[in-house]
Amino acid sequence: MSDFNIKVREEGDIIILETSGYLNNFGGDRVASICKQSISEGKRKLLINMENTKMVNSIGVSILIEVIEDLQGVNGTLGYYNVAPIIEKTFNIMGITNYSKIYTSEKAAIEALT
Amino acid sequence: MSNPTVELTLPVMQDMELAATKTAEVIAKRMDLDGEKTDEISMALIEACINAFEHSKSKDNIFIQYIIDPEKLIIKVGDKGIGFDAEVVAIPKIVEKLNSDNKRGWGLQLMKELMDTVEFQSSEDGTTVTMTKNR
């Protein structure tokens, strides 16, 4: 099994997921599960701190598309920060940065979403 | 004299693609490739391995060759699966993936974007993808 973990915290009305480890299908499912739960509880602003996730695969990232889809239905927002360059490149190639945003830092992300 | 070649055999097991990336990192360092190229190779290799694991529908091992050419790194990922036609695989588009049941299918596109060349040889006896990254 993958060594993938998530810590969740709240900053005001923003849910922050801090991931660590390889974002594969299992990691993607766990991220999506927490995001969907948060959306069902009325949360609309989700951030993922990827400081400790240095590698992803396309299956894990494709699961994030489900989260984007769910957020579109409720006028919500998904963002990321501390994203490794290769992950940012992967997000750009897949086009998910057209529907979610990469921020340079947590401060920048929170300021943008507040 | 033939180019130095590293060979790796991987069983079809969860996350075994990371073993392939570790080997690639060692070779890239030996070739003095920069971090950006090394990361691109690793990401493309992950996708090639996943394709081999999943799309081959095979329980056999997959085979990887890293060929250290003076001008480039050549990576071959082979499986003994049922094969496929890369020409008929549609280029994925995010706008079509949203609100679609199938959100996957990005592997080939990522490999093509991240490597300098990508070629497929496929038959009913298996598939080999050959990718290159120039120095």
Side-chain angles (χ1 to χ4, degrees):
Chain A
M1 289 292 285
S2 291
D3 185 18
F4 183 85
N5 288 295
I6 308 175
K7 288 181 184 171
V8 185
R9 61 188 170 89
E10 293 188 38
E11 286 286 336
D13 61 348
I14 303 170
I15 298 293
I16 298 178
L17 289 77
E18 298 181 328
T19 64
S20 62
Y22 178 39
L23 182 67
N24 58 7
N25 49 330
F26 292 112
D29 280 338
R30 288 183 61 191
V31 169
S33 173
I34 291 169
C35 289
K36 286 169 187 280
Q37 177 69 29
S38 297
I39 293 166
S40 74
E41 292 169 356
K43 303 297 181 186
R44 299 292 178 261
K45 299 171 185 176
L46 306 178
L47 280 174
I48 305 176
N49 177 1
M50 302 190 78
E51 183 176 13
N52 295 311
T53 289
K54 302 302 181 192
M55 194 54 74
V56 299
N57 69 32
S58 64
I59 302 172
V61 179
S62 67
I63 297 170
L64 294 180
I65 300 173
E66 289 179 26
V67 176
I68 292 170
E69 200 174 86
D70 289 352
L71 283 166
Q72 281 186 331
V74 295
N75 268 337
T77 305
L78 177 64
Y80 325 87
Y81 60 94
N82 292 334
V83 179
I86 186 62
I87 297 176
E88 182 169 353
K89 188 172 284 189
T90 300
F91 283 7
N92 286 331
I93 291 169
M94 293 176 66
I96 70 166
T97 44
N98 294 328
Y99 297 92
S100 53
K101 187 160 177 160
I102 294 176
Y103 297 96
T104 53
S105 66
E106 178 175 314
K107 183 171 180 287
I110 289 174
E111 281 177 4
L113 295 183
T114 303
Chain B
M1 195 170 130
S2 61
N3 290 319
T5 300
V6 177
E7 295 184 331
L8 192 62
T9 301
L10 297 179
V12 180
M13 288 172 65
Q14 180 74 29
D15 292 348
M16 267 304 128
E17 64 273 18
L18 296 182
T21 67
K22 295 291 182 195
T23 304
E25 285 169 14
V26 171
I27 293 167
K29 190 172 182 182
R30 177 71 179 79
M31 293 177 71
D32 285 330
L33 299 181
D34 64 26
E36 183 179 1
K37 287 186 178 182
T38 303
D39 286 346
E40 289 170 348
I41 291 165
S42 290
M43 187 67 208
L45 192 49
I46 282 173
E47 296 302 322
C49 289
I50 290 172
N51 275 359
F53 289 149
E54 293 207 332
H55 298 163
S56 70
K57 295 182 171 58
S58 166
K59 297 300 178 194
D60 292 324
N61 293 333
I62 70 166
F63 306 93
I64 306 174
Q65 274 192 321
Y66 307 79
I67 302 164
I68 304 170
D69 180 271
E71 304 298 324
K72 56 186 176 284
L73 174 61
I74 304 163
I75 301 177
K76 295 175 181 279
V77 179
D79 65 66
K80 294 187 184 300
I82 58 173
F84 78 107
D85 185 355
E87 298 297 319
V88 303
V89 176
I91 296 171
K93 293 191 175 80
I94 183 72
V95 71
E96 292 169 3
K97 294 293 184 184
L98 284 164
N99 301 308
S100 160
D101 288 339
N102 178 20
K103 296 186 167 30
R104 292 171 52 174
W106 297 91
L108 270 60
Q109 182 71 7
L110 283 165
M111 284 185 258
K112 287 176 181 174
E113 294 272 357
L114 295 169
M115 299 297 278
D116 290 305
T117 66
V118 180
E119 294 175 0
F120 293 90
Q121 286 182 305
S122 193
S123 72
E124 60 188 19
D125 296 324
T127 300
T128 298
V129 56
T130 302
M131 311 185 287
T132 66
K133 178 64 92 176
N134 298 332
R135 278 184 187 267

